[in-house]
């Protein structure tokens, strides 16, 4: 993508170029100034580069007009040395972000530390305590020549007691406002003053095409309210203020004004506006539970309950375990408590600050309700499944989903109807479940007269390897077949996506909100009826499978749940997870959710975990946008470096979208972020329309081509280079960037890949022919001799007495409990020829439990599943050590078929 970014360097619509690329541009500029100063460059080169970055610099407060003018003045005066000094000074301040706290950085003459009220924001540096810094976008029709004076007026409003400090950024058009909202991650609020033109002064083709589409599809016009609506879509976390000199009462009454926090009449209310901005940010900064926990920790509390570690006295007075206290510090122990009152709250039945913290998280993540969960998404999933499904209910489940869903089905007594993701056999991994497969399952249920039993569609978005569903399309088309289906989206890995405008529409909550808006649109019924007329009265399955189905908006009951491992992608402590709810029928299942909380939540939940969920929400609402942008930028930098380094690319490569997603599901024709013919418009098109697209932050690095299997390579990186990875496959490892990564991490990784490639290169160059032949054979074995991925076969008939003819659901709970009766089970070793004999002549082999190899991490056998030849071949070829549910010494645990024959009836039948 960096190639793409380079190609559009002079354009303002480089929307995927984040803070790192901006710093790079400044570093390049400083180098040009230094080269000019040293005699190896020229003023013309410097000035051309400065002009080039100006288009996007306008959208940032720092360095701002006065410093840039000073830079220009130095150049005009032909003073190369002063130009280089100032360019260096600005670049350093941007790189270290010191300008947010340090007043000297705003001074054009750093050495003298001159305080120039025109240049220097007056209160920066006047308080010793750290004050969070943000920027406020002001969209105005006032001429650009007045902006510096207006900025000074805004700065005069600052008070030493303000909790935060901010700088204004001015833009003069609709298009510029849109660009600034995308390109400036420091924005926390926007003031839209009526009376600005639509078009930017800059020419930007991709920007124009994006906005043109918004104008057509979202009825965007050039009004201030329209701009507010668009900005809210891009950055829902921003506070928007509208300043009008017209009829504010009329504007305030319009439904379009819902996206605006407050409306002001003309600019006479500057101080009020200033205070509102600070209050708005304070609203997001507030962390009700964490604040109370800090207060609680400061109080002199005597404890006579069962938590000796609380207050830390048993630790700090001990000769033997004091090092634990020293390691963690006192606050951890002061903040340990089993109290649910006295300033704290109960996670099991929150009424105070945990309730408030959950409500704030719901706002941040676009949900109606949020449950904080302190045992990971493993528990959130089980809670959702238990609360939403009862015995006998059918759930369409991705067989490749996390084991918590399968166990949830066992607990609930629900019948999983497994659907298969598309296989990526060459890499021993699965993609995601094609919508056609899901629709077919629903149509089959309908044909069997069992559709009323189907309650839920349960999918993983994005998958471990980064396949993102078109969540809106999946839900709409499924709702067209059954309008009250519940969707459970496991977004364990994808919680951060809420904070990227490009990824948000693909999240459960983002799509739910788009569907909600569509349901309210007066045209939606017409669209539905038009399609119904075209489909006719008895459309064939094939027709229904091939069309993008539109649901009946009058019948749809939108019921969407999302779980996310907040700890996997945001700053929450391990196991911190959230369960998000957007369900018009929530009132009918609320009591069941309370039961699920009581079933699964510990009665001693960890206070620090709850606090970290509260704080993670604060961070994402205030800086999540920039952090996610950075994670994407880091990932693109890694992709770029691996693809272009001559030595690394000889042995390793990161799979592109074309290798991860079948062409039929990439309708946009998008190849990859690195494709030279690609541009941001195409990437956005893919993100918007394709059946599946790829999360740019998840990178599958093929290492089999370097002779390493995934586990081997992961171990090498961990043991020799202190690089931790998460997932591996037979011939690949998954690299993942997150909000914590920096460019230094990228540099370290690339260095390590270079070192490994060099060693390999040397070994092959200097080794004998046998060494090279062994290497080639190893690569072939890893890359070509890959086992086929076994599909789910079916449940044994003994567990299918209450199942349909055309679908594969089964009574997994009864099967699971079969394994509890030792007399009904037998073991056969994997290598035993008895297995082959049974596969050929019977009786059938029926798994007694879940068998989950790591990698790939999905159950290749579930209780009650009939084991097929493919599964055995796959198991025998697996060269992994960790297989949950399988003890190599004992062999496969099977339910005896004579016991199955004796099984009478099905234990949990539910009236249809
Ligand atoms: C798709 C998916 N869902 C849920 C989980 C479980 O999440 P947690 O580790 O937060 O319990 C995982 C863990 O890897 C996962 O990959």
């Amino acid at each position: 993508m960096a190639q793409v970014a380079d190609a559009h360097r002079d354009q303002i619509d480089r929307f995927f170029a984040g803070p790192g690329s901006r710093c790079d541009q400044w570093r390049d500029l400083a180098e040009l100034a230094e080269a000019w100063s040293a005699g190896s460059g020229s003023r013309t080169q410097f000035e051309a580069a400065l002009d080039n970055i100006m288009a996007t610099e306008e959208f940032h407060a720092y360095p701002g007009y006065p410093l840039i003018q000073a830079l220009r003045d130095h150049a005009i005066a032909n003073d190369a040395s002063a130009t280089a000094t100032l360019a260096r000074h600005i670049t350093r301040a941007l790189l270290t972000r010191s300008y947010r706290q340090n007043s000297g950085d705003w001074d054009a003459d750093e050495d003298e530390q001159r305080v120039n009220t025109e240049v220097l924001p007056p209160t920066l540096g006047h308080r010793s305590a750290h004050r969070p810094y943000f920027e406020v976008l002001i969209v105005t029709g006032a001429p650009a020549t007045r902006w510096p004076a207006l900025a000074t007026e805004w700065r005069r409003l600052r008070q030493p007691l303000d909790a935060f400090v901010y700088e204004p950024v001015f833009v003069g058009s609709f298009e510029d406002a849109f660009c600034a909202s995308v390109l400036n991650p420091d924005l926390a609020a926007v003031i839209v003053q009526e009376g600005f033109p639509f078009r930017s002064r800059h020419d930007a083709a991709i920007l124009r095409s994006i906005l043109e589409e918004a104008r057509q599809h979202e009825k965007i016009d050039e009004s201030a309210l329209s701009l507010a609506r668009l900005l809210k879509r891009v950055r829902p976390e921003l506070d928007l203020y509208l300043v009008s000199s017209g009829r504010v009462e009329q504007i305030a009454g319009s439904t379009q004004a819902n996206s605006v926090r407050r409306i002001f009449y003309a600019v006479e209310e500057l101080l009020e506006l200033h205070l509102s901005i600070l209050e708005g940010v304070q609203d997001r900064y507030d962390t009700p539970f964490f604040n109370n926990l800090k207060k609680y920790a400061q109080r002199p509390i005597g404890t006579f309950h069962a938590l000796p570690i609380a207050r830390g006295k048993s630790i700090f007075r001990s000769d033997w375990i004091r090092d634990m206290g020293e390691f963690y510090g006192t606050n951890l122990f002061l903040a340990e408590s089993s109290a649910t009152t006295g300033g704290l709250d109960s996670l099991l039945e929150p009424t105070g600050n945990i309730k408030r913290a959950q409500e704030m998280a719901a706002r941040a993540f676009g949900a109606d309700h949020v449950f904080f969960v302190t045992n990971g998404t493993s528990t959130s999933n089980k809670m959702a499944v238990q609360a939403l499904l009862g015995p006998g209910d059918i759930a369409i489940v991705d067989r490749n989903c996390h084991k918590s869903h399968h166990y949830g089905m066992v607990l609930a007594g629900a019948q999983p109807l497994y659907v298969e993701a598309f296989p990526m056999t060459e890499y021993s991994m699965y993609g995601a479940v094609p919508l056609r497969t899901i629709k077919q399952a629903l149509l089959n249920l309908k044909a069997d007269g069992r559709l009323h039993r189907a309650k839920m569609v349960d999918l993983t978005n994005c998958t471990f390897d980064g396949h993102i569903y078109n969540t809106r399309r999946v839900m709409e088309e499924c709702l067209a077949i059954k309008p009250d289906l519940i969707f459970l989206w496991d977004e364990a890995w994808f919680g951060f996506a809420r904070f990227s405008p490009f990824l948000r529409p693909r999240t459960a909550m983002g799509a739910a909100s788009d569907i909600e808006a569509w349901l309210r649109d007066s045209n939606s019924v017409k669209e539905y009826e038009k399609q119904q007329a075209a489909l006719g009265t008895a459309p064939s399955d094939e027709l229904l499978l091939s069309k993008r189905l539109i649901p009946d908006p009058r019948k749809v009951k939108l019921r969407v749940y999302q779980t996310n491992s907040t700890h996997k992608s945001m700053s929450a402590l391990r196991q911190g997870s959230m369960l998000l709810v957007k369900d018009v029928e929530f009132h009918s299942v609320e009591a069941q959710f309370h039961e699920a909380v009581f079933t699964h939540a510990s009665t001693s939940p960890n206070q620090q975990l709850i606090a970290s969920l509260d704080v993670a929400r604060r961070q994402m609402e205030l800086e999540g946008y920039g952090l996610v942008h950075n994670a994407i930028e880091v990932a693109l930098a890694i992709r770029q470096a691996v693809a272009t380094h001559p030595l690394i690319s000889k042995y390793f490569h990161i799979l592109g979208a074309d290798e991860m997603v079948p062409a039929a599901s990439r309708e946009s024709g998008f190849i990859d972020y690195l494709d030279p013919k690609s541009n941001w418009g195409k990437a956005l098109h893919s993100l918007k329309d394709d059946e599946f697209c790829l999360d740019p932050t998840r990178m599958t690095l093929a290492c089999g081509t370097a002779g390493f299997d995934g586990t081997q390579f992961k171990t090498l990186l961990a043991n020799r280079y202190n690089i931790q990875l998460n997932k591996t496959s037979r011939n690949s490892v998954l690299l993942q960037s997150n909000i914590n990564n920096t460019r230094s991490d990228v540099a370290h990784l690339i260095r390590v890949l270079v070192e490994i490639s060099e060693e390999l290169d040397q070994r092959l160059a200097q080794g004998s022919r046998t060494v090279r032949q062994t290497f080639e054979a190893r690569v072939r074995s890893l890359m070509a001799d890959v086992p086929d991925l076994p599909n789910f076969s079916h449940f044994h008939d003994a567990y299918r007495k209450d199942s349909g003819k055309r679908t594969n659901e089964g009574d997994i709970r009864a099967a699971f409990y079969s394994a509890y009766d030792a007399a009904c089970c037998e073991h056969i070793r994997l290598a035993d020829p008895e297995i082959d004999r049974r596969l050929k002549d019977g009786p059938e082999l029926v798994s007694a439990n879940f068998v989950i190899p790591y990698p790939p991490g999905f159950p290749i056998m579930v209780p009650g599943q009939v084991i097929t030849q493919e599964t055995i071949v796959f198991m025998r070829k697996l060269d992994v050590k960790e297989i949950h549910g399988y003890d190599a010494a004992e062999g496969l645990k099977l339910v005896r078929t004579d016991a199955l024959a004796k099984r009478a009836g099905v234990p949990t039948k539910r009236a249809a």
Side-chain angles (χ1 to χ4, degrees):
M1 207 45 126
Q3 275 171 352
V4 181
D6 284 345
H8 296 280
R9 190 150 262 225
D10 52 350
Q11 293 187 5
I12 60 171
D13 49 11
R14 297 161 51 244
F15 289 151
F16 281 62
S21 128
R22 184 172 172 231
C23 287
D24 284 349
Q25 286 190 321
W26 274 97
R27 215 181 347 236
D28 290 350
L29 189 73
E31 275 170 20
L32 282 174
E34 271 160 27
W36 171 30
S37 174
S40 56
S42 73
R43 176 177 147 190
T44 322
Q45 281 173 325
F46 170 80
E47 286 182 331
L50 182 60
D51 286 343
N52 198 19
I53 66 172
M54 269 316 96
T56 44
E57 283 307 305
E58 284 182 14
F59 304 134
H60 302 274
Y62 187 84
Y65 176 78
L67 281 182
I68 289 186
Q69 195 50 44
L71 205 53
R72 281 199 192 287
D73 289 346
H74 288 320
I76 290 166
N78 226 5
D79 188 343
S81 160
T83 310
T85 306
L86 185 53
R88 234 185 357 249
H89 156 111
I90 294 172
T91 307
R92 193 174 48 237
L94 277 171
L95 273 171
T96 59
R97 295 154 54 102
S98 59
Y99 66 91
R100 293 153 180 261
Q101 303 297 323
N102 178 19
S103 56
D105 290 340
W106 295 77
D107 187 352
D109 193 346
E110 185 192 28
D111 296 338
E112 293 175 24
Q113 293 286 302
R114 177 166 52 86
V115 176
N116 172 345
T117 49
E118 277 302 294
V119 173
L120 175 67
T123 50
L124 273 185
H126 285 198
R127 256 169 67 127
S128 53
H130 175 99
R131 280 196 293 178
Y133 167 95
F134 61 91
E135 296 180 5
V136 174
L137 182 69
I138 302 178
V139 191
T140 173
T145 45
R146 285 201 53 220
W147 295 352
L150 290 172
T152 308
E153 264 182 55
W154 276 97
R155 289 183 196 122
R156 286 209 185 97
L157 297 167
R158 291 177 184 164
Q159 304 288 323
L161 283 178
D162 290 347
F164 316 105
V165 63
Y166 68 87
E167 272 288 308
V169 177
F170 293 87
V171 290
S173 72
F174 190 112
E175 286 184 345
D176 285 320
F178 175 68
C179 287
S181 73
V182 176
L183 291 172
N184 184 341
D186 295 325
L187 295 181
V190 184
I191 300 168
V192 182
Q193 294 174 352
E194 277 186 329
F196 46 81
F198 189 81
R199 286 224 153 194
S200 164
R201 290 174 290 142
H202 307 289
D203 197 22
I206 298 174
L207 161 73
R208 296 261 144 83
S209 71
I210 292 166
L211 282 182
E212 204 39 58
E213 210 172 303
R215 274 171 98 138
Q216 281 172 16
H217 294 296
E218 295 171 36
K219 303 183 190 87
I220 295 281
D221 59 35
E222 20 203 301
S223 68
L225 275 178
S226 237
L227 174 61
R229 202 150 56 88
L230 183 68
L231 295 182
K232 207 66 188 169
R233 267 184 79 76
V234 179
R235 306 269 303 263
E237 76 283 7
L238 295 180
D239 291 328
L240 302 182
Y241 301 94
L242 197 87
V243 180
S244 166
S245 48
R247 296 199 182 142
V248 279
E249 305 76 9
Q250 210 172 351
I251 298 172
S254 143
T255 48
Q256 283 219 45
N258 291 350
S259 49
V260 175
R261 187 177 162 95
R262 253 191 90 172
I263 299 169
F264 289 91
Y265 180 65
V267 272
E268 68 195 26
E269 310 256 21
L270 214 56
L271 180 62
E272 281 296 303
L273 242 170
H274 167 74
L275 295 174
S276 301
I277 289 168
L278 293 180
E279 189 189 57
V281 172
Q282 181 64 52
D283 234 25
R284 278 172 274 162
Y285 187 78
D286 193 17
T287 35
F289 181 75
F290 178 52
N291 296 355
N292 274 288
L293 189 63
K294 282 194 289 183
K295 271 194 219 141
Y296 176 90
Q298 302 303 319
R299 284 165 48 198
I301 290 170
T303 56
F304 289 96
H305 56 59
L307 186 65
I309 208 168
R311 322 306 292 178
K313 285 179 262 185
S314 70
I315 309 239
F316 290 103
R317 282 205 303 244
S318 163
D319 278 348
W320 301 101
I321 62 168
R322 197 193 332 231
D323 60 333
M324 178 184 175
E326 283 159 4
F327 181 71
Y328 285 111
T330 47
N331 281 341
L332 177 69
F333 306 101
L334 292 175
E336 273 292 348
S337 171
S338 62
T340 53
T341 53
L344 297 177
D345 195 3
S346 159
L347 183 69
L348 277 84
E349 217 150 40
T351 53
N353 45 52
I354 293 184
K355 184 165 184 281
R356 275 236 317 122
Q358 291 184 156
E359 286 163 0
M360 291 169 84
R363 170 187 76 194
F365 287 89
D368 295 335
H369 309 276
V370 166
F371 291 91
F372 283 177
V373 179
T374 57
N375 316 64
T377 297
S378 307
T379 296
S380 304
N381 288 336
K382 281 180 276 193
M383 279 169 53
V385 170
Q386 173 180 324
L388 294 166
L389 296 175
D393 285 343
I394 297 171
I396 295 179
V397 188
D398 174 5
R399 202 256 316 202
N400 185 30
C401 67
H402 187 258
K403 61 184 177 190
S404 49
H405 299 268
H406 304 273
Y407 280 105
M409 300 293 155
V410 170
L411 294 176
Q415 300 209 7
L417 192 170
Y418 286 121
V419 282
E420 297 288 347
F422 65 82
M424 294 173 59
T425 312
E426 320 83 289
Y427 297 100
S428 288
M429 58 170 83
Y430 279 98
V433 184
L435 177 52
R436 196 182 165 92
T437 308
I438 301 167
K439 282 164 71 179
Q440 183 71 71
L442 287 167
L443 293 173
N444 287 344
L445 284 167
K446 191 172 176 185
D448 276 350
R450 295 166 58 79
L451 191 58
H452 62 286
R453 296 269 298 268
K455 288 281 165 61
M456 177 189 274
V457 173
D458 184 354
L459 298 169
T460 307
N461 184 56
C462 65
T463 64
F464 214 146
D465 302 293
H467 299 91
I468 313 175
Y469 282 86
N470 193 328
T471 41
R472 176 172 179 176
R473 182 168 170 195
V474 170
M475 291 197 278
E476 284 181 347
E477 294 215 42
C478 290
L479 290 170
I481 301 174
K482 184 159 196 282
D484 61 352
L485 270 176
I486 303 171
F487 297 90
L488 172 57
W489 292 100
D490 178 344
E491 298 192 353
W493 300 102
F494 208 43
F496 73 98
R498 170 87 196 155
F499 300 91
S500 160
F502 310 118
L503 301 177
R504 189 183 313 113
R506 293 241 172 192
T507 63
M509 290 301 136
S513 130
D514 290 343
I515 295 176
E516 215 174 33
W518 179 80
L519 292 175
R520 281 197 298 264
D521 190 321
S522 53
N523 285 325
S524 56
V525 173
K526 276 186 234 138
E527 276 178 48
Y528 166 74
E529 281 174 347
K530 190 168 160 213
Q531 182 173 68
Q532 285 301 302
L535 288 173
T537 43
S540 67
D541 274 11
E542 196 42 49
L543 186 61
L544 293 172
L545 291 171
S546 63
K547 288 276 176 254
R548 175 163 183 163
L549 299 180
I550 300 174
D552 184 346
R554 294 157 301 192
K555 293 204 180 130
V556 166
K557 297 222 180 321
L558 194 58
R559 311 193 62 184
V560 186
Y561 291 79
Q562 184 249 46
T563 53
N564 79 67
S565 294
T566 321
H567 69 98
K568 287 196 203 294
S569 71
M570 292 167 262
S571 298
L573 292 173
R574 197 154 163 81
Q575 294 194 8
S577 168
M578 294 190 198
L579 196 172
L580 315 187
V581 181
K582 197 166 182 65
D583 177 3
V584 292
E585 295 289 310
F586 184 63
H587 57 92
S588 68
V589 290
E590 192 169 355
Q592 288 150 221
F593 266 92
H594 290 304
E595 290 297 342
V597 171
F598 295 149
T599 310
H600 294 279
S602 160
T603 40
S604 310
N606 183 286
Q607 311 286 7
Q608 327 314 327
L609 269 172
I610 304 170
S612 78
L613 287 169
D614 201 12
V615 172
R617 187 273 311 150
R618 177 211 285 176
Q619 177 177 44
M620 295 314 280
E621 273 199 304
L622 286 162
E623 58 176 345
Y625 179 81
L627 292 172
V628 171
H629 223 74
N630 180 60
I632 294 177
E633 199 182 23
V634 161
L636 295 177
I638 295 173
R639 283 174 190 272
Q640 173 78 359
V642 171
T644 53
H645 193 285
L647 203 51
I648 301 179
S649 59
K650 197 166 156 189
Y651 296 105
F652 299 95
H653 94 280
I654 292 178
L655 306 193
D658 52 341
E659 290 162 290
M660 297 286 289
V661 178
S665 303
R666 267 183 297 115
E667 297 90 332
S668 71
F670 181 67
I671 305 265
D672 189 40
Y673 296 100
L674 291 181
D675 178 44
K677 286 196 232 68
S678 201
N679 66 31
W680 302 120
K682 288 193 178 143
L684 292 182
H685 186 184
S686 166
L687 281 167
K688 186 165 163 289
D689 293 331
D690 285 349
E691 175 170 11
F692 302 118
C693 60
L694 207 53
D695 173 1
T697 68
R698 305 180 81 77
M699 295 153 277
T700 300
L701 179 81
C703 56
T705 35
F708 298 104
D709 68 51
T711 314
Q712 221 181 359
F713 195 59
K714 176 178 166 170
T715 314
L716 173 74
L717 290 186
N719 293 352
R720 217 165 107 185
Y721 300 102
N722 283 328
I723 292 178
Q724 299 285 342
L725 305 175
N726 203 325
K727 180 183 181 271
T728 59
S729 82
R730 179 174 168 81
N731 48 23
S732 73
V733 294
L734 179 75
L735 303 172
Q736 197 187 325
S737 67
N738 63 42
I739 63 166
N740 190 40
N741 285 122
T742 60
R743 303 280 289 281
S744 312
D745 297 334
V746 180
H748 180 47
L749 176 70
I750 298 304
R751 254 331 306 147
V752 166
L753 292 179
V754 170
E755 198 177 309
I756 294 171
S757 309
E758 269 170 2
E759 264 179 32
L760 202 54
D761 218 39
Q762 216 170 40
R763 185 155 57 82
L764 293 175
Q766 293 170 1
S768 63
R769 215 168 124 225
T770 322
V771 169
R772 280 191 294 279
Q773 278 170 344
T774 312
F775 174 77
E776 279 156 20
R778 171 81 176 146
V779 170
R780 233 187 348 268
S781 139
L782 288 170
M783 299 303 293
D785 183 19
V786 283
D788 276 340
L789 294 170
N791 277 349
F792 175 75
S793 54
H794 55 87
F795 286 102
H796 188 273
D797 283 347
Y799 304 113
R800 283 187 45 80
K801 297 205 170 129
D802 180 35
S803 306
K805 284 199 285 294
R806 295 170 179 79
T807 48
N808 70 21
E809 72 275 17
D811 184 354
I812 197 169
R813 181 163 70 179
F816 178 85
Y817 283 107
S818 302
Y820 278 34
D821 183 353
C824 289
C825 295
E826 61 183 331
H827 288 88
I828 311 182
R829 287 194 190 183
L830 201 52
D832 192 331
E834 171 69 0
I835 292 225
D836 304 278
R837 196 197 57 72
R838 291 266 300 261
L839 282 173
K840 198 155 150 269
D841 304 324
E844 286 175 317
L845 301 163
V846 179
S847 182
N849 51 5
F850 288 104
V851 175
I852 309 176
Y854 285 84
F858 62 86
I860 60 167
M861 293 176 207
V862 306
Q865 177 180 338
V866 173
I867 300 170
T868 57
Q869 176 82 37
E870 293 79 55
T871 309
I872 295 298
V873 170
F874 185 78
M875 281 287 284
R876 284 176 176 165
K877 273 203 177 177
L878 265 185
D879 40 13
V880 299
K881 304 219 167 26
E882 194 180 342
I883 304 180
H884 295 181
Y886 170 68
D887 180 339
E890 284 204 73
L892 292 171
K893 186 171 182 181
L894 306 169
V895 187
R896 296 166 62 105
T897 38
D898 50 348
L900 285 170
K902 274 197 227 135
R903 268 181 63 81
V906 174
T908 50
K909 258 193 192 165
R910 198 158 108 146

